[in-house]
Amino acid sequence: MVIDNFITVILSVIKTGLGLCDETDITVKGLEAIKSCERVYLEAYTSILMVPKEQLEKFYGKELIIADREMVESQSDEILLNANSLNIAFLVVGDPFGATTHTDLVIRARELNIPVTVIHNASIINAIGTCGLQLYNFGQTISIPFFTNTWKPDSFYDRIKENKDLGLHTLCLLAIQQLFEIEETRNQKVYTTESLAIGIARLGSSTDQQIKVGTLNQLLSQDFGPPLHSLVIVGSRVHILEIDFMRFFAVDKQLYNEIVKKDYGI
Amino acid sequence: MVIDNFITVILSVIKTGLGLCDETDITVKGLEAIKSCERVYLEAYTSILMVPKEQLEKFYGKELIIADREMVESQSDEILLNANSLNIAFLVVGDPFGATTHTDLVIRARELNIPVTVIHNASIINAIGTCGLQLYNFGQTISIPFFTNTWKPDSFYDRIKENKDLGLHTLCLLAIQQLFEIEETRNQKVYTTESLAIGIARLGSSTDQQIKVGTLNQLLSQDFGPPLHSLVIVGSRVHILEIDFMRFFAVDKQLYNEIVKKDYGI
């Protein structure tokens, strides 16, 4: 990075498509780092950008090279080319280590003795606290890609059950229809249409964020607009302040109060 | 916020003392927001700042008002004074909704019809991915204050056990000595001196971050320097890439390989 005048790959979380939204969500440190770089890659396949690439380029004053899955997974040496004499940035939407996707690239850089600096930023994993639930009361986060006709992975169902059995909240990075589809198949009532949940769209957008609290059924009929969407299934281990906070976002406050009384005894 | 010319309390996560480190860790959006504010409070009791207040003030071009626990919990109306006609910022080190501490303030603001905007940033909860473990494999995060002679809360022990039984990693925001002290009392072998763990100090600092992997016993004898420290107890549900990534940080690579083979069969 600039500071140490090193030979560095910067893995900079510039913003989270699953949360924060526009070009000003980058940190001052991240922006300085980008400006110091010879090449700047933008990883654009594990998440969705909420602003056009050109808008970022204008703000950063740098051209961005789109890195698709093929490039990251098969041509990492091209990304790392000359990174032991130049600064190279790799911008990730969301957490750079949320899953294994980018881990390989860092391991490869280390094998080549290229110093790696990570510049952190917010992601849905911590920004979800905005919905009023305490981060300490969350269990495992689950994330699955969209189903195809022949491929409907359902291991997330077991993860939700594990969290539920402990009374913990589950952050679900998936579509609500996928939940219903798998509950129908597995049928263990890990959640039902009457389970209390929070629907979130475009988290972190100052103009366009939506947070709605209600039963899964209620949320299904709400219009959340364009992506990105996520969902929290509320666990049984809730604090009274969490209940109070969520009320603000309730789709129907009277029904919310009834559910809270019936399911949570509050 | 500036954009909507509103009457707004900005709950801005400017940086995480439990992770990110200096004044440039603020987002561009957060910096713009601070500059638009009439009063800027700095919450300084739930976490520790890693730079002097004066350094932040110089960078932000604003005087900071220190908000201690007494002020936040008992004098919230003073903080919110005139917030329906002026922009007021409340800067939090770490997640603004990590625990209940700041939730009250937001609820109070809403009761007074004061719009609240949250400007997110990184925190230990997501930045912990830097150690090489996947965020999806973490269970509940645990956090406890320092023990006193008469007050040694041990409920975190049950939380670690719950995570362990599911094979999940646990992020522990506490001192390693506290772990040993409670294991001695509870004695259920939820972890032992031979458990694989990751010690982290000053996460996010570009010059001073430390990440070390080893048994709890090995980590205890390492000098991690000044705070802030945190710890991850590695769960049994590990991916081969997590093992590869952690090796880079191993205190003793040979011993690490032996542990990994013995405990994880990898």
Coordinates of all heavy atoms in Angstrom, one line a residue, chain A residues 151-237:
Chain A
W151 N -31.4 -28.0 -9.9 CA -30.5 -27.9 -8.8 C -31.1 -27.0 -7.7 O -31.2 -25.8 -7.9 CB -29.2 -27.2 -9.4 CG -28.1 -27.2 -8.4 CD1 -27.3 -28.2 -7.9 CD2 -27.5 -26.0 -7.8 NE1 -26.4 -27.7 -7.0 CE2 -26.5 -26.4 -7.0 CE3 -27.8 -24.6 -7.9 CZ2 -25.7 -25.5 -6.2 CZ3 -27.1 -23.7 -7.2 CH2 -26.0 -24.1 -6.4
K152 N -31.5 -27.7 -6.7 CA -32.1 -26.9 -5.5 C -31.4 -27.4 -4.2 O -32.0 -28.1 -3.5 CB -33.6 -27.2 -5.5 CG -34.2 -26.9 -6.8 CD -35.8 -27.0 -6.8 CE -36.3 -26.7 -8.2 NZ -37.6 -26.3 -8.4
P153 N -30.2 -26.9 -4.0 CA -29.5 -27.3 -2.7 C -30.3 -26.9 -1.5 O -30.8 -25.8 -1.4 CB -28.2 -26.5 -2.8 CG -28.5 -25.3 -3.7 CD -29.5 -25.8 -4.7
D154 N -30.5 -27.8 -0.6 CA -31.3 -27.5 0.6 C -30.6 -27.6 1.9 O -31.3 -27.7 3.0 CB -32.6 -28.4 0.6 CG -32.2 -29.9 0.8 OD1 -31.0 -30.2 0.8 OD2 -33.1 -30.7 0.9
S155 N -29.3 -27.6 1.9 CA -28.6 -27.8 3.2 C -28.8 -26.6 4.1 O -28.6 -26.7 5.3 CB -27.1 -28.0 3.0 OG -26.5 -26.8 2.3
F156 N -29.2 -25.4 3.5 CA -29.5 -24.3 4.3 C -30.6 -24.5 5.4 O -30.6 -23.9 6.4 CB -29.8 -23.1 3.5 CG -31.2 -23.1 2.8 CD1 -32.3 -22.7 3.5 CD2 -31.3 -23.5 1.5 CE1 -33.6 -22.7 3.0 CE2 -32.6 -23.6 0.9 CZ -33.7 -23.2 1.7
Y157 N -31.5 -25.5 5.0 CA -32.6 -25.8 5.9 C -32.1 -26.3 7.2 O -32.6 -26.0 8.3 CB -33.5 -26.8 5.1 CG -34.8 -27.1 5.8 CD1 -35.9 -26.2 5.6 CD2 -35.0 -28.2 6.6 CE1 -37.1 -26.5 6.2 CE2 -36.2 -28.5 7.2 CZ -37.3 -27.6 7.0 OH -38.5 -27.9 7.6
D158 N -31.0 -27.2 7.2 CA -30.5 -27.7 8.4 C -29.8 -26.6 9.2 O -29.8 -26.6 10.4 CB -29.4 -28.8 8.1 CG -30.1 -29.9 7.2 OD1 -31.1 -30.5 7.7 OD2 -29.6 -30.2 6.1
R159 N -29.2 -25.7 8.5 CA -28.5 -24.6 9.2 C -29.6 -23.7 10.0 O -29.3 -23.3 11.1 CB -27.7 -23.7 8.2 CG -26.7 -24.4 7.4 CD -25.5 -24.8 8.2 NE -25.6 -26.2 8.6 CZ -25.4 -27.3 7.9 NH1 -25.1 -27.2 6.6 NH2 -25.5 -28.5 8.4
I160 N -30.7 -23.4 9.3 CA -31.7 -22.6 10.0 C -32.2 -23.4 11.2 O -32.5 -22.8 12.2 CB -32.9 -22.3 9.0 CG1 -32.4 -21.5 7.8 CG2 -34.0 -21.5 9.7 CD1 -33.5 -21.2 6.8
K161 N -32.4 -24.7 11.0 CA -32.9 -25.5 12.1 C -31.9 -25.5 13.3 O -32.3 -25.3 14.5 CB -33.1 -27.0 11.7 CG -33.7 -27.9 12.8 CD -34.1 -29.2 12.3 CE -34.9 -30.0 13.3 NZ -34.4 -30.0 14.7
E162 N -30.6 -25.6 13.0 CA -29.6 -25.5 14.1 C -29.7 -24.2 14.8 O -29.7 -24.1 16.1 CB -28.2 -25.7 13.5 CG -27.9 -27.1 13.0 CD -26.6 -27.2 12.2 OE1 -26.1 -26.1 11.7 OE2 -26.2 -28.3 11.9
N163 N -29.9 -23.1 14.1 CA -30.0 -21.8 14.7 C -31.3 -21.7 15.5 O -31.3 -21.2 16.7 CB -30.0 -20.7 13.7 CG -28.7 -20.4 13.0 OD1 -27.7 -20.8 13.6 ND2 -28.7 -19.8 11.9
K164 N -32.4 -22.2 14.9 CA -33.7 -22.1 15.6 C -33.7 -22.9 16.9 O -34.2 -22.4 17.9 CB -34.7 -22.8 14.6 CG -36.1 -22.6 15.2 CD -37.0 -23.7 14.6 CE -38.3 -23.8 15.4 NZ -39.5 -24.0 14.7
D165 N -33.1 -24.1 16.9 CA -33.0 -24.9 18.1 C -32.3 -24.2 19.2 O -32.5 -24.5 20.4 CB -32.4 -26.2 17.8 CG -33.2 -27.1 16.9 OD1 -34.4 -26.8 16.8 OD2 -32.7 -28.1 16.4
L166 N -31.4 -23.3 18.9 CA -30.7 -22.5 19.9 C -31.4 -21.1 20.2 O -30.9 -20.4 21.0 CB -29.3 -22.2 19.5 CG -28.4 -23.4 19.3 CD1 -27.0 -23.0 18.7 CD2 -28.1 -24.1 20.6
G167 N -32.5 -20.9 19.5 CA -33.2 -19.6 19.7 C -32.6 -18.5 19.0 O -33.0 -17.3 19.2
L168 N -31.7 -18.7 18.0 CA -31.0 -17.6 17.3 C -31.6 -17.2 16.0 O -32.3 -17.9 15.4 CB -29.6 -18.1 17.0 CG -28.7 -18.5 18.2 CD1 -27.4 -19.2 17.8 CD2 -28.4 -17.3 19.1
H169 N -31.3 -15.9 15.7 CA -31.8 -15.4 14.4 C -30.9 -15.9 13.3 O -29.8 -16.2 13.5 CB -31.6 -13.8 14.4 CG -32.1 -13.1 15.6 ND1 -33.4 -13.4 16.2 CD2 -31.6 -12.2 16.4 CE1 -33.6 -12.6 17.3 NE2 -32.5 -11.9 17.4
T170 N -31.5 -16.0 12.1 CA -30.8 -16.4 10.9 C -30.9 -15.4 9.8 O -32.0 -15.0 9.4 CB -31.4 -17.7 10.3 OG1 -31.4 -18.7 11.4 CG2 -30.5 -18.2 9.2
L171 N -29.7 -14.9 9.4 CA -29.7 -14.0 8.2 C -29.6 -14.9 7.0 O -28.7 -15.7 6.8 CB -28.4 -13.1 8.3 CG -28.1 -12.3 7.1 CD1 -29.2 -11.4 6.7 CD2 -26.8 -11.5 7.2
C172 N -30.6 -14.7 6.1 CA -30.7 -15.5 4.9 C -30.5 -14.7 3.7 O -31.2 -13.8 3.4 CB -32.1 -16.1 4.8 SG -32.7 -17.0 6.3
L173 N -29.5 -15.0 3.0 CA -29.2 -14.3 1.7 C -29.7 -15.2 0.6 O -29.0 -15.9 -0.1 CB -27.7 -14.1 1.6 CG -27.0 -13.4 2.8 CD1 -25.5 -13.3 2.6 CD2 -27.7 -12.1 3.1
L174 N -31.0 -15.2 0.5 CA -31.7 -16.0 -0.6 C -33.1 -15.4 -0.8 O -33.5 -14.5 -0.1 CB -31.8 -17.4 -0.1 CG -32.2 -17.8 1.3 CD1 -33.6 -17.4 1.6 CD2 -32.1 -19.3 1.5
A175 N -33.9 -15.9 -1.7 CA -35.2 -15.5 -2.0 C -36.2 -16.2 -1.1 O -36.0 -17.4 -0.8 CB -35.5 -15.7 -3.5
I176 N -37.2 -15.5 -0.7 CA -38.2 -16.0 0.3 C -38.9 -17.2 -0.3 O -39.3 -18.2 0.4 CB -39.2 -14.9 0.7 CG1 -40.0 -15.3 2.0 CG2 -40.2 -14.6 -0.4 CD1 -40.7 -14.0 2.5
Q177 N -39.1 -17.2 -1.7 CA -39.7 -18.4 -2.3 C -38.9 -19.7 -2.2 O -39.5 -20.8 -2.1 CB -39.9 -18.1 -3.9 CG -40.9 -17.0 -4.2 CD -40.3 -15.7 -4.1 OE1 -39.1 -15.5 -3.7 NE2 -41.1 -14.6 -4.5
Q178 N -37.6 -19.5 -2.1 CA -36.7 -20.7 -1.9 C -37.0 -21.3 -0.6 O -37.0 -22.5 -0.4 CB -35.2 -20.3 -2.1 CG -34.9 -19.8 -3.5 CD -33.5 -19.3 -3.6 OE1 -33.1 -18.4 -2.9 NE2 -32.7 -20.0 -4.4
L179 N -37.2 -20.4 0.4 CA -37.5 -20.9 1.8 C -38.7 -21.8 1.7 O -38.8 -22.9 2.3 CB -37.8 -19.8 2.7 CG -36.6 -19.0 3.3 CD1 -37.1 -17.9 4.2 CD2 -35.7 -19.9 4.2
F180 N -39.8 -21.3 1.1 CA -41.1 -22.0 1.1 C -40.9 -23.3 0.3 O -41.5 -24.4 0.7 CB -42.2 -21.2 0.5 CG -42.7 -20.1 1.4 CD1 -42.8 -18.8 1.0 CD2 -43.1 -20.4 2.7 CE1 -43.3 -17.8 1.9 CE2 -43.5 -19.5 3.6 CZ -43.6 -18.1 3.2
E181 N -40.2 -23.3 -0.8 CA -40.1 -24.5 -1.6 C -39.4 -25.6 -0.8 O -39.8 -26.8 -0.9 CB -39.2 -24.1 -2.8 CG -39.4 -25.0 -4.0 CD -38.8 -24.5 -5.3 OE1 -38.6 -23.3 -5.4 OE2 -38.4 -25.4 -6.1
I182 N -38.4 -25.3 -0.1 CA -37.7 -26.3 0.7 C -38.4 -26.8 1.9 O -38.4 -28.0 2.2 CB -36.2 -25.9 1.0 CG1 -35.4 -25.6 -0.3 CG2 -35.5 -26.9 1.9 CD1 -35.3 -26.8 -1.2
E183 N -39.1 -25.9 2.6 CA -40.0 -26.3 3.7 C -41.0 -27.3 3.3 O -41.3 -28.2 3.9 CB -40.6 -25.0 4.4 CG -41.6 -25.3 5.5 CD -41.0 -26.1 6.7 OE1 -40.0 -25.6 7.3 OE2 -41.4 -27.2 7.0
E184 N -41.5 -27.0 2.1 CA -42.5 -28.0 1.5 C -42.0 -29.4 1.4 O -42.6 -30.4 1.7 CB -43.1 -27.4 0.2 CG -44.4 -27.9 -0.2 CD -45.0 -27.1 -1.3 OE1 -45.3 -25.9 -1.0 OE2 -45.2 -27.6 -2.4
T185 N -40.7 -29.4 0.9 CA -40.1 -30.7 0.7 C -39.7 -31.4 2.0 O -39.9 -32.5 2.2 CB -38.8 -30.5 -0.2 OG1 -39.0 -29.6 -1.2 CG2 -38.3 -31.9 -0.8
R186 N -39.0 -30.6 2.9 CA -38.5 -31.2 4.1 C -39.5 -31.3 5.2 O -39.4 -32.2 6.0 CB -37.3 -30.3 4.6 CG -36.1 -30.2 3.6 CD -35.3 -31.4 3.5 NE -34.6 -31.7 4.8 CZ -33.4 -31.3 5.1 NH1 -32.7 -30.6 4.2 NH2 -32.8 -31.5 6.2
N187 N -40.4 -30.3 5.2 CA -41.6 -30.4 6.1 C -41.3 -30.7 7.6 O -42.0 -31.5 8.2 CB -42.5 -31.5 5.5 CG -43.9 -31.4 6.0 OD1 -44.4 -30.3 6.4 ND2 -44.6 -32.5 6.1
Q188 N -40.3 -30.1 8.1 CA -40.0 -30.2 9.6 C -40.5 -29.0 10.4 O -40.1 -28.9 11.5 CB -38.5 -30.5 9.8 CG -38.0 -31.8 9.2 CD -36.5 -31.8 9.4 OE1 -35.9 -31.6 10.4 NE2 -35.8 -32.2 8.3
K189 N -41.2 -28.1 9.7 CA -41.7 -26.9 10.4 C -40.6 -26.1 11.0 O -40.8 -25.6 12.2 CB -42.8 -27.3 11.4 CG -44.0 -28.0 10.8 CD -45.2 -27.1 10.7 CE -46.4 -27.9 10.1 NZ -46.1 -28.5 8.8
V190 N -39.5 -26.0 10.4 CA -38.4 -25.2 10.9 C -38.8 -23.7 10.9 O -38.5 -22.9 11.8 CB -37.1 -25.4 10.1 CG1 -36.0 -24.3 10.4 CG2 -36.5 -26.8 10.4
Y191 N -39.7 -23.4 9.9 CA -40.3 -22.1 9.9 C -41.6 -22.3 9.1 O -41.8 -23.3 8.4 CB -39.5 -21.0 9.1 CG -38.8 -21.6 7.9 CD1 -39.5 -21.6 6.7 CD2 -37.6 -22.1 7.9 CE1 -39.0 -22.1 5.5 CE2 -37.0 -22.7 6.7 CZ -37.7 -22.7 5.6 OH -37.1 -23.2 4.4
T192 N -42.6 -21.4 9.3 CA -43.9 -21.6 8.7 C -44.3 -20.2 8.1 O -43.5 -19.2 8.2 CB -45.0 -22.0 9.7 OG1 -45.3 -20.8 10.5 CG2 -44.6 -23.1 10.5
T193 N -45.4 -20.2 7.4 CA -45.8 -18.9 6.8 C -46.1 -17.9 7.9 O -46.1 -16.7 7.7 CB -47.1 -19.1 6.0 OG1 -48.1 -19.8 6.8 CG2 -46.9 -19.9 4.8
E194 N -46.3 -18.4 9.2 CA -46.6 -17.5 10.3 C -45.3 -17.1 11.1 O -45.5 -16.4 12.1 CB -47.6 -18.1 11.2 CG -49.0 -18.4 10.5 CD -49.4 -17.2 9.7 OE1 -49.6 -16.1 10.3 OE2 -49.7 -17.3 8.5
S195 N -44.2 -17.5 10.7 CA -42.9 -17.2 11.4 C -42.6 -15.7 11.3 O -42.8 -15.1 10.2 CB -41.7 -17.9 10.9 OG -41.9 -19.3 11.1
L196 N -42.2 -15.1 12.4 CA -41.8 -13.7 12.3 C -40.5 -13.5 11.6 O -39.5 -14.2 11.9 CB -41.7 -13.1 13.8 CG -41.6 -11.6 13.9 CD1 -42.8 -10.9 13.4 CD2 -41.3 -11.2 15.3
A197 N -40.5 -12.5 10.7 CA -39.2 -12.3 9.9 C -39.1 -10.9 9.5 O -40.0 -10.0 9.7 CB -39.3 -13.2 8.6
I198 N -37.9 -10.5 9.0 CA -37.6 -9.2 8.6 C -37.2 -9.2 7.1 O -36.2 -10.0 6.8 CB -36.5 -8.5 9.4 CG1 -36.9 -8.7 10.9 CG2 -36.3 -7.0 9.1 CD1 -35.8 -8.1 11.8
G199 N -37.8 -8.5 6.3 CA -37.4 -8.4 4.9 C -36.6 -7.1 4.7 O -37.0 -6.0 5.2
I200 N -35.5 -7.2 4.0 CA -34.6 -6.0 3.9 C -34.2 -5.8 2.4 O -33.9 -6.8 1.7 CB -33.3 -6.2 4.7 CG1 -33.6 -6.3 6.1 CG2 -32.4 -4.9 4.5 CD1 -33.2 -7.7 6.7
A201 N -34.4 -4.6 1.9 CA -34.0 -4.4 0.5 C -33.0 -3.2 0.4 O -33.2 -2.2 1.1 CB -35.2 -4.1 -0.4
R202 N -32.0 -3.4 -0.4 CA -31.0 -2.3 -0.6 C -30.5 -1.6 0.7 O -30.4 -0.4 0.8 CB -31.6 -1.2 -1.5 CG -32.0 -1.8 -2.9 CD -32.8 -0.9 -3.8 NE -34.0 -0.5 -3.1 CZ -35.1 -1.3 -3.1 NH1 -35.1 -2.5 -3.6 NH2 -36.2 -0.9 -2.4
L203 N -30.1 -2.5 1.6 CA -29.6 -2.0 2.9 C -28.4 -1.1 2.8 O -27.5 -1.3 2.0 CB -29.1 -3.2 3.7 CG -28.6 -3.0 5.2 CD1 -29.7 -2.3 6.0 CD2 -28.2 -4.3 5.8
G204 N -28.5 0.1 3.4 CA -27.5 1.0 3.4 C -27.7 2.2 2.5 O -27.0 3.2 2.5
S205 N -28.7 2.0 1.6 CA -29.0 3.1 0.7 C -29.7 4.2 1.5 O -30.7 4.0 2.2 CB -29.9 2.6 -0.4 OG -30.5 3.7 -1.1
S206 N -29.2 5.4 1.3 CA -29.8 6.5 2.1 C -31.2 6.9 1.6 O -32.0 7.6 2.3 CB -28.9 7.7 2.2 OG -28.3 7.9 1.0
T207 N -31.5 6.6 0.3 CA -32.7 7.1 -0.2 C -33.7 5.9 -0.4 O -34.9 6.1 -0.5 CB -32.5 7.7 -1.6 OG1 -31.7 6.7 -2.4 CG2 -31.7 9.0 -1.5
D208 N -33.2 4.7 -0.5 CA -34.0 3.6 -1.0 C -34.1 2.4 -0.2 O -34.6 1.3 -0.6 CB -33.4 3.3 -2.4 CG -34.3 2.6 -3.3 OD1 -35.5 2.8 -3.1 OD2 -33.9 1.9 -4.2
Q209 N -33.5 2.4 1.0 CA -33.5 1.2 1.9 C -34.9 0.9 2.3 O -35.7 1.8 2.6 CB -32.6 1.5 3.1 CG -32.7 0.5 4.2 CD -31.7 0.8 5.3 OE1 -30.5 0.8 5.2 NE2 -32.3 1.2 6.5
Q210 N -35.2 -0.4 2.4 CA -36.5 -0.8 2.9 C -36.3 -1.9 4.0 O -35.6 -2.9 3.7 CB -37.4 -1.4 1.8 CG -38.0 -0.4 0.9 CD -39.2 -0.9 0.2 OE1 -40.0 -1.8 0.7 NE2 -39.4 -0.5 -1.0
I211 N -37.0 -1.8 5.1 CA -37.0 -2.8 6.1 C -38.4 -3.0 6.5 O -39.1 -2.1 6.9 CB -36.1 -2.4 7.4 CG1 -34.7 -2.1 7.0 CG2 -36.2 -3.4 8.4 CD1 -33.8 -1.6 8.1
K212 N -38.9 -4.2 6.5 CA -40.3 -4.5 6.8 C -40.3 -5.8 7.7 O -39.7 -6.8 7.4 CB -41.1 -4.8 5.6 CG -41.3 -3.5 4.7 CD -42.1 -3.8 3.5 CE -42.2 -2.5 2.7 NZ -43.1 -2.6 1.5
V213 N -41.1 -5.7 8.8 CA -41.2 -6.8 9.7 C -42.6 -7.3 9.7 O -43.6 -6.6 9.7 CB -40.9 -6.3 11.1 CG1 -41.2 -7.4 12.2 CG2 -39.4 -5.9 11.3
G214 N -42.7 -8.7 9.6 CA -44.0 -9.3 9.6 C -43.9 -10.8 9.5 O -42.7 -11.3 9.6
T215 N -44.9 -11.5 9.3 CA -44.8 -13.0 9.1 C -44.3 -13.2 7.7 O -44.3 -12.3 6.8 CB -46.2 -13.7 9.2 OG1 -47.0 -13.1 8.1 CG2 -46.9 -13.4 10.5
L216 N -43.7 -14.4 7.5 CA -43.2 -14.7 6.1 C -44.3 -14.5 5.1 O -44.0 -14.0 4.0 CB -42.6 -16.1 6.1 CG -41.3 -16.3 6.7 CD1 -40.9 -17.8 6.7 CD2 -40.2 -15.5 6.0
N217 N -45.5 -14.8 5.4 CA -46.6 -14.7 4.5 C -46.9 -13.2 4.2 O -47.1 -12.8 3.0 CB -47.8 -15.3 5.1 CG -48.7 -15.9 4.1 OD1 -48.3 -16.2 3.0 ND2 -50.0 -16.1 4.4
Q218 N -46.8 -12.4 5.2 CA -47.0 -11.0 5.0 C -46.0 -10.4 4.1 O -46.2 -9.6 3.2 CB -47.0 -10.2 6.4 CG -48.3 -10.1 7.1 CD -48.1 -9.3 8.4 OE1 -47.2 -9.5 9.1 NE2 -49.1 -8.4 8.6
L219 N -44.7 -10.8 4.4 CA -43.6 -10.2 3.6 C -43.7 -10.6 2.2 O -43.3 -9.8 1.3 CB -42.3 -10.7 4.2 CG -42.0 -10.2 5.6 CD1 -40.6 -10.6 6.1 CD2 -42.1 -8.6 5.7
L220 N -44.2 -11.8 1.9 CA -44.3 -12.3 0.6 C -45.1 -11.4 -0.3 O -44.9 -11.2 -1.5 CB -44.8 -13.7 0.6 CG -44.6 -14.6 -0.6 CD1 -43.1 -14.8 -0.9 CD2 -45.2 -16.0 -0.5
S221 N -46.1 -10.8 0.3 CA -47.0 -9.9 -0.5 C -46.6 -8.5 -0.6 O -47.2 -7.6 -1.2 CB -48.4 -10.0 0.1 OG -48.4 -9.5 1.4
Q222 N -45.4 -8.2 0.1 CA -44.9 -6.8 0.0 C -44.1 -6.6 -1.3 O -43.4 -7.5 -1.7 CB -44.0 -6.5 1.2 CG -44.7 -6.6 2.6 CD -45.7 -5.5 2.8 OE1 -45.4 -4.3 2.6 NE2 -46.9 -5.8 3.2
D223 N -44.1 -5.4 -1.8 CA -43.2 -5.1 -2.9 C -41.9 -4.4 -2.4 O -41.9 -3.3 -1.9 CB -44.0 -4.1 -3.8 CG -43.1 -3.7 -5.0 OD1 -42.0 -4.4 -5.2 OD2 -43.4 -2.7 -5.7
F224 N -40.9 -5.2 -2.5 CA -39.6 -4.7 -2.0 C -38.8 -4.0 -3.1 O -37.6 -3.6 -2.9 CB -38.7 -5.9 -1.4 CG -39.2 -6.2 0.0 CD1 -40.1 -7.3 0.2 CD2 -38.7 -5.5 1.1 CE1 -40.5 -7.6 1.5 CE2 -39.1 -5.8 2.4 CZ -40.0 -6.9 2.6
G225 N -39.3 -4.0 -4.3 CA -38.6 -3.3 -5.4 C -37.4 -4.1 -5.9 O -37.3 -5.3 -5.5
P226 N -36.5 -3.5 -6.6 CA -35.3 -4.2 -7.2 C -34.4 -4.7 -6.1 O -34.5 -4.3 -5.0 CB -34.6 -3.1 -8.0 CG -35.1 -1.8 -7.6 CD -36.5 -2.1 -7.0
P227 N -33.5 -5.7 -6.5 CA -32.6 -6.3 -5.5 C -31.6 -5.2 -5.0 O -31.6 -4.1 -5.5 CB -31.7 -7.3 -6.4 CG -32.2 -7.2 -7.8 CD -33.3 -6.2 -7.9
L228 N -30.8 -5.4 -3.9 CA -30.7 -6.8 -3.4 C -31.6 -6.9 -2.2 O -31.8 -6.0 -1.4 CB -29.2 -6.9 -2.9 CG -28.3 -7.0 -4.1 CD1 -27.0 -6.3 -3.8 CD2 -28.1 -8.4 -4.5
H229 N -32.0 -8.1 -2.0 CA -32.9 -8.5 -0.9 C -32.3 -9.4 0.1 O -31.5 -10.3 -0.3 CB -34.2 -9.1 -1.4 CG -35.0 -8.3 -2.3 ND1 -36.0 -8.7 -3.1 CD2 -34.9 -6.9 -2.6 CE1 -36.6 -7.7 -3.8 NE2 -35.9 -6.6 -3.6
S230 N -32.6 -9.3 1.3 CA -32.2 -10.4 2.2 C -33.3 -10.5 3.3 O -34.3 -9.7 3.3 CB -30.9 -10.2 2.8 OG -30.7 -8.9 3.3
L231 N -33.2 -11.5 4.1 CA -34.3 -11.8 5.1 C -33.7 -12.3 6.4 O -32.6 -13.0 6.4 CB -35.0 -13.0 4.4 CG -36.3 -13.4 5.1 CD1 -37.4 -12.5 4.6 CD2 -36.6 -14.8 4.8
V232 N -34.3 -12.0 7.5 CA -33.9 -12.5 8.8 C -35.1 -13.3 9.3 O -36.2 -12.8 9.4 CB -33.5 -11.4 9.8 CG1 -33.2 -12.0 11.1 CG2 -32.3 -10.6 9.2
I233 N -34.8 -14.5 9.7 CA -35.8 -15.3 10.5 C -35.5 -15.0 12.0 O -34.4 -15.3 12.4 CB -35.8 -16.8 10.1 CG1 -36.0 -17.0 8.6 CG2 -36.8 -17.6 11.0 CD1 -35.9 -18.4 8.2
V234 N -36.5 -14.5 12.7 CA -36.3 -14.1 14.0 C -36.3 -15.3 15.0 O -37.2 -16.1 14.9 CB -37.4 -13.1 14.5 CG1 -37.1 -12.6 15.9 CG2 -37.4 -11.8 13.5
G235 N -35.3 -15.4 15.8 CA -35.2 -16.5 16.7 C -36.0 -16.3 18.0 O -36.6 -15.2 18.2
S236 N -36.1 -17.3 18.8 CA -36.9 -17.2 20.1 C -36.2 -16.4 21.2 O -36.8 -15.9 22.1 CB -37.3 -18.5 20.6 OG -36.2 -19.3 20.9
R237 N -34.8 -16.3 21.1 CA -34.0 -15.7 22.1 C -34.0 -14.2 21.9 O -33.0 -13.7 21.4 CB -32.6 -16.3 22.1 CG -31.9 -16.2 23.4 CD -30.4 -16.6 23.2 NE -30.2 -18.0 23.2 CZ -29.0 -18.6 23.0 NH1 -27.9 -17.8 22.7 NH2 -28.8 -19.9 23.0

